[in-house]
Amino acid sequence: MILVIRPDATLAQIEHVIETVKELGYTPHVSRGESRTIVGVIGDETKTSPENLKAIPGVEQVLPILKPFKLASREFHKEESIVYVGKVRIGGGSLAMIAGPCAVESYEVMDTVAKYVKAGGANILRGGAFKPRTSPYAFQGKGEDGLKLLREIGDKYDMPVVTEVMDPRQVELICGYADMLQVGARNMQNFDLLKEIGRARKPVLLKRGMSATVKDLLMSAEYVLSEGNKDVVLCERGVRSFEDSTRNMLDLSAVPNVKGQSHLPIIVDPSHATGRPDLIPAMCRASVAAGADGVHVEVHNCPEKALSDGPQALLPHQFLDLMTDLRRLATAMNREFAVPSAN
Ligand code: PEP
Ligand code: MN
């Protein structure tokens, strides 16, 4: 870290800063300029919080050198991480297409949607069995029955399945059925959940919170990684903004922004980001063009009867057209949608 000393700091204050740095177990390197003094602090940055150093009288600014998310950072791990969901490879040029209805509703809907998305080239099937709804009176999901259905249909179409976990107490149950655990936007900073998921042996789809910065997202990934689970895929799904013609505002710059700072794969969810089927295909194409490691979309065969997020669902034929475009785009970018392989 580097401590920038206030221009009006007294010599006694500067001496006190140096002594405190030593007491904390660091080696201070003082550099006195004509008008400003800075103190380089050499040692393990993670041992002291920058706020404590900022509280020393005479210190104006504390500039950390390392990122606060160590395990998630490129500094720690230079190569891109590759995450396997079942036999589907995400990262390193291999793209995920996660598709399915918002919620697991019935055998018929799950079966119909899975049949179409599989035919279109989706490689991971989604469906929520535990739904985080704004209203307690809205459909809350089918719970364990939904998990069973999702597993059954996933097996039928030979697709790994991802579903949302909202509470640490659900982790064990959901691990018994799902191939990937989704942490939704509303739970991105549910730290007990992140820790529990970090101890699970399943890959994680970590969605960006509605008002979370990219740094917040990476800090949440750090929670999972620090518990030993290395298989984290990040997901940009838009943030709340003043714009009210879309459900959220899609921050596509998050893709190269995350990639510059982290080795973790990142995918984009234009369904929840825009909430509008007329915008979703263009944003999927833009996501692949921006370098995302995959896309996540909601598909329903009868959106008007969907029990959640119907208005944003793509119809099966829209999904098929989208995949045709995305495959061409992926090829042009020297990437491809993963086909399940024998690892
Ligand atoms: C979902 O995937 O259905 C969902 C609730 O997403 P988000 O957490 O991004 O709102
Ligand atoms: Mn949804």
Side-chain angles (χ1 to χ4, degrees):
M1 272 167 289
I2 293 170
L3 309 184
V4 180
I5 305 299
R6 293 173 60 94
D8 58 357
T10 62
L11 279 177
Q13 280 178 329
I14 297 176
E15 273 316 305
H16 176 66
V17 171
I18 294 167
E19 281 317 305
T20 312
V21 165
K22 283 187 192 157
E23 272 166 33
L24 289 167
Y26 296 105
T27 310
H29 280 263
V30 185
S31 139
R32 288 175 211 270
E34 271 194 18
S35 52
R36 299 297 285 253
T37 297
I38 58 172
V39 180
V41 177
I42 311 296
D44 184 352
E45 276 192 12
T46 56
K47 290 212 178 111
T48 308
S49 94
E51 284 97 58
N52 283 34
L53 295 170
K54 201 163 176 207
I56 309 174
V59 174
E60 184 179 84
Q61 263 192 81
V62 180
L63 305 172
I65 302 294
L66 295 174
K67 300 260 189 283
F69 41 89
K70 183 174 174 219
L71 301 174
S73 82
R74 282 248 184 221
E75 287 159 0
F76 173 79
H77 190 289
K78 296 259 177 295
E79 307 77 41
E80 275 185 44
S81 280
I82 290 168
V83 173
Y84 277 93
V85 180
K87 293 175 188 157
V88 173
R89 186 181 137 106
I90 308 178
S94 181
L95 305 180
M97 171 46 92
I98 302 179
C102 180
V104 181
E105 301 176 9
S106 65
Y107 184 93
E108 290 66 35
V109 170
M110 210 58 235
D111 185 54
T112 309
V113 174
K115 184 177 72 193
Y116 282 117
V117 298
K118 172 79 183 186
N123 43 28
I124 300 174
L125 183 64
R126 69 149 282 144
F130 295 94
K131 294 302 305 172
R133 305 305 299 279
T134 303
S135 164
Y137 309 117
F139 174 62
Q140 302 286 308
K142 290 179 78 74
E144 189 169 3
D145 287 345
L147 296 175
K148 287 183 184 154
L149 260 174
L150 182 65
R151 179 76 272 158
E152 187 182 344
I153 303 291
D155 289 345
K156 179 171 173 188
Y157 292 97
D158 194 22
M159 295 175 87
V161 298
V162 57
T163 197
E164 179 159 356
V165 40
M166 297 198 297
D167 187 294
R169 290 165 296 185
Q170 296 167 344
V171 173
E172 201 182 331
L173 174 77
I174 295 179
C175 281
Y177 294 99
D179 301 294
M180 184 180 219
L181 308 174
Q182 174 174 327
V183 177
R186 290 155 192 81
N187 275 303
M188 189 205 83
Q189 288 188 316
N190 180 340
F191 300 117
D192 286 338
L193 177 62
L194 297 175
K195 285 187 208 160
E196 194 61 34
I197 275 184
R199 292 188 280 267
R201 303 268 77 85
K202 295 277 180 183
V204 179
L205 180 63
L206 179 61
K207 291 184 130 194
R208 180 177 183 177
M210 303 185 200
S211 57
T213 62
V214 165
K215 183 172 156 199
D216 294 336
L217 174 63
L218 291 168
M219 290 307 291
S220 288
E222 190 78 9
Y223 263 92
V224 179
L225 298 170
S226 66
E227 291 291 338
N229 191 342
K230 304 279 173 265
D231 294 323
V232 178
V233 176
L234 305 170
C235 180
E236 163 60 39
R237 47 79 72 209
V239 290
R240 278 264 164 96
S241 85
F242 49 82
E243 176 55 65
D244 60 4
S245 63
T246 53
R247 185 171 176 184
N248 290 287
M249 194 185 268
L250 179 56
D251 176 12
L252 270 186
S253 70
V255 173
N257 193 352
V258 160
K259 287 206 166 278
Q261 301 182 62
S262 175
H263 53 91
L264 297 173
I266 176 165
I267 70 167
V268 178
D269 169 2
S271 296
H272 292 89
T274 66
R276 286 178 44 181
D278 58 326
L279 306 183
I280 292 167
M283 291 301 96
C284 288
R285 297 193 297 269
S287 304
V288 173
D293 299 291
V295 179
H296 169 287
V297 287
E298 289 184 348
V299 179
H300 201 288
N301 56 319
C302 188
E304 64 194 48
K305 293 205 179 126
L307 298 179
S308 68
D309 282 351
Q312 72 189 29
L314 289 183
L315 287 163
H317 74 87
Q318 293 174 313
F319 179 76
L320 297 183
D321 290 349
L322 169 64
M323 280 307 285
T324 306
D325 283 352
L326 290 183
R327 258 194 298 267
R328 285 183 8 226
L329 193 57
T331 308
M333 294 190 64
N334 219 3
R335 288 151 179 266
E336 61 181 359
F337 283 91
V339 276
S341 69
N343 286 19

